[in-house]
């Protein structure tokens, strides 16, 4: 059974870079023919798509975040990662990784605060 | 960008009732790649329906999806107590992928 799990710091300082990794088990990113994505949800609010990557490395981003986001994939480790730079308090959210649209990780809360 | 609008914002119903949730897109959803997700408090979203009408593995048949193009519907034929939750639609047919704002189904 496919499982995804997010990992990374739960607290990031303003202006710094938020870095998260999604580890996939029970299935392979390589050759999957799926997009692997990052989604976030501020406390008490809706879902916001951040971006997705294909196993080939082709990535697509939310235009509102594009200037600050990089998503990369490491098929040898069966992982993909999110970097979001120049963070502010508005980037505080639950961050989910997913094999879109059908499998989600449990999410990890990232708080931006000094 | 394909903007998704969901209605109603809140649906107040009783167990055993039929629930009808709407998702409208600002442009035709590519390949009808429209998903419905359920989210309960403190949990990650769970896929119910993909491709507008295909139930995900393990999803009870009281959940059904329909529609195409710009108008989509999720129907819960008879609400069970565990169905009271927030439901989101997502289009994954064109980039950027987008989510609707959600419909909360709560207890009347």
């Amino acid at each position: 059974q496919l499982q995804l799990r997010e990992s990374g710091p739960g607290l990031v300082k303003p202006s710094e870079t938020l870095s998260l990794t999604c580890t996939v088990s029970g299935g392979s990113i390589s050759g999957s023919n799926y997009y692997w994505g990052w989604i976030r949800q501020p406390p008490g609010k809706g879902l916001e798509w951040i971006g997705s990557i294909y196993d080939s490395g082709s990535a697509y981003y939310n235009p509102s975040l594009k200037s600050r986001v990089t998503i990369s994939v490491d098929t040898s480790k069966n992982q993909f990662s999110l970097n979001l730079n120049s963070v502010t308090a508005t980037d505080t959210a639950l961050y989910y990784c997913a094999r879109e649209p059908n499998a989600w990780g449990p999410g990890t809360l990232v708080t931006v605060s000094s | 960008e394909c903007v998704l609008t969901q209605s109603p914002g809140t649906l107040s119903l009783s167990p055993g009732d039929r629930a009808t949730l709407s998702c409208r897109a600002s442009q035709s959803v590519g390949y009808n790649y429209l998903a419905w997700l359920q989210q309960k408090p403190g949990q990650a979203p769970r896929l119910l329906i993909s491709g507008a009408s295909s139930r995900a593995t393990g999803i009870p048949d009281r959940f059904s999806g329909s529609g195409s193009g710009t108008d989509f519907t999720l129907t819960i034929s008879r609400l069970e107590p565990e169905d009271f939750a927030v439901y989101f639609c997502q289009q994954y047919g064109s980039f950027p992928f987008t989510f609707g704002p959600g419909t909360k189904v709560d207890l009347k």
Side-chain angles (χ1 to χ4, degrees), chain A residues 35 39 41 45-49 52 60-63 94 96 100-107, chain B residues 1 35 37 39 42-47 49-50 56 88 90 92 95-101:
Chain A
Y35 282 97
I39 300 98
Q41 185 172 36
K45 296 191 177 180
L47 300 167
E48 180 180 30
W49 180 76
S52 298
Y60 301 84
Y61 302 119
N62 187 322
L94 257 174
Y96 296 102
E100 302 192 84
N102 54 17
W104 291 60
Chain B
E1 174 174 325
L37 303 148
Q39 188 177 35
Q43 295 184 18
R46 175 177 72 143
L47 178 72
I49 302 286
S50 63
F88 295 97
Q90 181 197 17
Y92 56 104
F95 288 108
F97 295 170
T98 48
F99 291 92

Side-chain angles (χ1 to χ4, degrees), chain B residues 18-30:
Chain B
R18 181 184 186 88
T20 303
L21 288 68
S22 173
C23 177
R24 285 195 168 170
S26 62
Q27 60 196 64
S28 187
V29 174

Side-chain angles (χ1 to χ4, degrees), chain A residues 12-114:
Chain A
V12 181
K13 290 182 168 55
S15 80
E16 295 189 345
T17 296
L18 180 161
S19 295
L20 296 174
T21 295
C22 183
T23 300
V24 179
S25 58
S28 177
I29 292 176
S30 183
S32 64
N33 290 326
Y34 281 98
Y35 282 97
W36 302 83
W38 290 96
I39 300 98
R40 69 181 183 179
Q41 185 172 36
K45 296 191 177 180
L47 300 167
E48 180 180 30
W49 180 76
I50 299 171
S52 298
I53 192 163
Y54 205 62
D55 61 353
S56 63
S58 299
Y60 301 84
Y61 302 119
N62 187 322
S64 68
L65 299 169
K66 188 174 183 177
S67 63
R68 301 194 290 129
V69 174
T70 303
I71 296 175
S72 58
V73 63
D74 187 339
T75 53
S76 67
K77 293 183 179 179
N78 222 26
Q79 295 176 333
F80 60 105
S81 298
L82 168 70
N83 277 353
L84 179 67
N85 59 37
S86 304
V87 296
T88 69
T90 59
D91 294 309
T92 293
L94 257 174
Y95 284 77
Y96 296 102
C97 63
R99 185 184 76 175
E100 302 192 84
N102 54 17
W104 291 60
T108 188
L109 178 63
V110 179
T111 301
V112 178
S113 175
S114 54

